[in-house]
């Protein structure tokens, strides 16, 4: 084999290697390998929808979620999503979020509407969790907080435990490190003195979470337990009027139930005595005689 043939053969082999390598990379792009999912649906109540590309369908319990998925809850509906080794979020009714970034070391959510309750473990320096709203961005390392998007111009953050850094559209930042609420409004200055005590709405959300059935999942149980143990709930004075209304409501329900039972018993006794050959008269106050 002469020198020219050797050179020609070399270039043919080189071209084939490059071609096959490029072909393999194209196939990898066209058929990407899905990494192990880190987001999973733990609980659903009511109607919750998943938006994935052009697809829209009802979300299912135990379903895995991936980057770019969007979730929307309808009226009287909620969904709990667990992030593996990170924590859990709950979407209340009429809420929509998108999983913009979803990886082992970075989670970024975009919340367009509604209420999201976030509960995260302490993250490492290499990990990050952010939630973006129409008016702000919140970044945390490990904390429990509620985000309420009221409309396109107003977002409320309610801190339960931990620390949260909030930045508005002007680039102004504030760090909240104690339980309370702050409202971020479009085109308004961001100041620490805007922090207020937790609202009745947030307190009610915490009570509802604390009463949840935790099941067997460690992240979920941790979520519920930390809410129960949070200083936010411990420092809240009991609303006597609220507790009184609840007690009265329960009493009324019990009273109605007793009245129904008494009425039914009386009807049975009357029917039996009318059919009894001895014709024993019905005692209207038979309970008083017992």
């Amino acid at each position: 084999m002469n020198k020219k043939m050797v050179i020609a053969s070399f270039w043919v082999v080189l071209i084939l290697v490059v071609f096959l390598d490029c072909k393999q990379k194209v196939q990898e792009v066209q058929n990407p390998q899905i990494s192990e999912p880190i987001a999973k649906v733990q609980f659903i109540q009511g109607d919750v929808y998943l938006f994935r590309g052009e697809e829209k369908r009802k979300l299912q319990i135990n379903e895995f979620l991936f980057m770019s998925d969007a979730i929307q809850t309808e009226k009287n509906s909620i969904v709990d999503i667990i992030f593996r080794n990170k924590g859990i979020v709950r979407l209340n009714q009429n809420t929509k979020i998108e999983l913009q970034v979803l990886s082992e070391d970075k989670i970024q959510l975009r919340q367009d509407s509604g209420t999201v309750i976030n509960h995260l473990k302490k993250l490492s320096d290499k990990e990050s969790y952010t939630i973006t709203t129409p008016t702000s961005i919140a970044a945390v390392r490990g904390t429990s907080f509620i985000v309420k998007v009221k409309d396109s111009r107003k977002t409320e953050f309610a801190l339960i435990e931990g620390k949260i850094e909030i930045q508005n559209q002007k680039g102004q930042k504030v760090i909240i490190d104690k339980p309370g609420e702050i409202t971020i409004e479009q085109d308004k200055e961001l100041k620490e003195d805007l922090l207020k005590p937790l609202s009745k709405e947030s307190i009610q959300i915490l009570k509802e979470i604390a009463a949840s059935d935790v099941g067997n999942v460690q992240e979920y149980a941790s979520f519920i337990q930390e809410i129960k143990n949070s200083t936010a709930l411990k420092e809240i004075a009991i609303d006597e009027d609220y507790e009184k209304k609840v007690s009265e409501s329960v009493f009324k329900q019990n009273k109605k139930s007793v009245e129904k039972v008494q009425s039914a018993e009386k009807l049975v006794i009357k029917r039996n005595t009318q059919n009894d050959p001895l014709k024993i008269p019905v005692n209207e106050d038979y309970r008083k005689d017992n």
Side-chain angles (χ1 to χ4, degrees):
M1 185 180 293
N2 58 38
K3 187 177 180 180
K4 290 184 178 180
M5 291 184 65
V6 172
I7 295 175
S9 299
F10 170 78
W11 283 109
V12 169
V13 172
L14 181 60
I15 291 171
L16 284 173
V17 170
V18 172
F19 172 77
L20 291 173
D21 183 59
C22 291
K23 184 178 180 181
Q24 183 179 356
K25 288 182 178 179
V26 169
Q27 288 177 340
E28 289 175 354
V29 172
Q30 291 176 341
N31 303 291
Q33 295 295 318
I34 297 175
S35 59
E36 186 178 357
I38 65 171
K40 181 182 178 182
V41 178
Q42 169 62 21
F43 173 77
I44 293 177
Q45 175 182 298
D47 295 326
V48 182
Y49 290 92
L50 170 68
F51 297 82
R52 179 174 290 163
E54 300 298 323
E55 179 187 21
K56 176 187 176 181
R57 60 176 172 80
K58 280 195 173 183
L59 194 62
Q60 304 296 320
I61 293 178
N62 294 325
E63 184 167 359
F64 291 112
L65 301 173
F66 301 93
M67 193 163 64
S68 299
D69 283 350
I71 301 96
Q72 180 173 341
T73 59
E74 299 296 314
K75 185 178 180 181
N76 299 323
S77 302
I78 61 174
V79 60
D80 290 341
I81 301 170
I82 288 180
F83 294 106
R84 182 161 52 89
N85 299 324
K86 299 291 188 299
I88 183 171
V89 301
R90 166 170 291 183
L91 279 62
N92 275 8
Q93 65 174 348
N94 300 321
T95 299
K96 186 173 183 179
I97 68 167
E98 180 185 342
L99 307 177
Q100 291 186 314
V101 178
L102 194 60
S103 66
E104 286 289 348
D105 57 359
K106 186 176 182 179
I107 296 175
Q108 183 174 316
L109 310 182
R110 189 189 76 209
Q111 181 177 340
D112 297 322
S113 60
T115 301
V116 176
I117 302 96
N118 304 264
H119 173 69
L120 305 172
K121 299 178 180 180
K122 187 175 181 179
L123 305 179
S124 69
D125 293 337
K126 296 180 180 179
E127 297 175 310
S128 68
Y129 181 95
T130 59
I131 185 162
T132 303
T133 77
T135 62
S136 52
I137 299 176
V140 298
R141 285 294 176 191
T143 191
S144 298
F145 64 103
I146 303 171
V147 183
K148 293 175 275 188
V149 176
K150 296 298 185 178
D151 52 52
S152 61
R153 299 181 60 86
K154 182 187 294 185
T155 302
E156 293 179 0
F157 290 89
L159 180 66
I160 303 166
E161 289 284 338
K163 183 186 295 186
I164 181 173
E165 180 182 273
I166 305 169
Q167 178 178 314
N168 64 7
Q169 293 174 320
K170 294 182 177 181
Q172 298 171 329
K173 297 180 181 180
V174 62
I175 295 177
I176 309 300
D177 58 2
K178 60 182 179 181
E181 287 193 18
I182 189 169
T183 300
I184 312 299
E185 295 187 68
Q186 191 173 14
D187 300 328
K188 288 196 174 182
E189 298 294 316
L190 181 57
K191 301 177 182 178
E192 290 188 12
D193 57 10
L194 294 175
L195 186 68
K196 299 178 180 179
L198 290 171
S199 66
K200 289 185 177 180
E201 180 185 359
S202 296
I203 293 170
Q204 185 59 33
I205 290 173
L206 298 184
K207 287 182 177 180
E208 290 171 359
I209 294 175
S212 298
D213 182 9
V214 300
N216 302 328
V217 180
Q218 182 179 358
E219 289 93 339
Y220 195 55
S222 172
F223 172 50
I224 304 298
Q225 194 58 48
E226 186 157 331
I227 294 298
K228 289 180 180 179
N229 296 335
S230 68
T231 56
L233 273 183
K234 288 181 179 179
E235 293 177 359
I236 294 170
I238 296 176
D239 185 343
E240 294 182 359
D241 291 337
Y242 173 77
E243 298 296 338
K244 185 178 179 182
K245 289 177 182 178
V246 172
S247 299
E248 289 176 352
S249 175
V250 173
F251 173 76
K252 288 179 181 178
Q253 291 298 324
N254 290 339
K255 186 177 180 182
K256 287 181 180 179
S257 299
V258 171
E259 289 174 350
K260 286 182 179 179
V261 172
Q262 289 176 342
S263 177
E265 288 180 350
K266 193 177 296 185
L267 182 62
V268 170
I269 292 173
K270 185 175 181 180
R271 186 185 301 116
N272 289 341
T273 54
Q274 287 175 341
N275 295 330
D276 185 36
L278 297 177
K279 303 298 181 186
I280 299 174
V282 178
N283 181 0
E284 294 294 334
D285 298 322
Y286 71 95
R287 285 192 173 272
K288 294 180 181 180
D289 295 339
N290 293 336

